[in-house]
Amino acid sequence: HLLNNTRLCHKFILSIFLLISWKYEWVGGVVFILAGILYILMILRNALIGEFEWYMLSWIVQIAGIAFIIGILFLVGWFKKKK
């Protein structure tokens, strides 16, 4: 049950940042890029303690990659709005 609560907490926090990002795009850019970096660091930490499997590389691309794309899109929207 603790694992499910932790995942729900992460989703809730990202949802709050998403709502804030709708008004302030730079927040979304920073938060989602940092979320992608944090996910990569968590996977690398698991690799260092011996819990790495090669299929986790596809997780990095799918989860962190999408977070990076969302963050970049928020930043592009923010830059275009500034002009």
Side-chain angles (χ1 to χ4, degrees), residues 8-78:
L8 285 176
C9 184
H10 293 156
K11 290 177 186 178
F12 182 70
I13 291 170
L14 277 179
S15 297
I16 289 173
F17 278 115
L18 183 61
L19 289 173
I20 294 170
S21 301
W22 235 259
K23 177 113 174 121
Y24 306 103
E25 287 94 353
W26 68 270
V27 173
V30 171
V31 167
F32 279 93
I33 289 172
L34 287 177
I37 292 170
L38 179 65
Y39 184 77
I40 291 171
L41 292 175
M42 287 179 4
I43 295 294
L44 292 177
R45 181 193 58 136
N46 286 344
L48 292 175
I49 61 174
E51 296 179 13
F52 181 76
E53 297 291 334
W54 287 105
Y55 59 84
M56 291 180 181
L57 291 176
S58 68
W59 294 358
I60 289 174
V61 171
Q62 293 173 7
I63 296 173
I66 291 172
F68 289 142
I69 291 171
I70 292 170
I72 289 168
L73 288 174
F74 271 120
L75 290 176
V76 166
W78 178 61

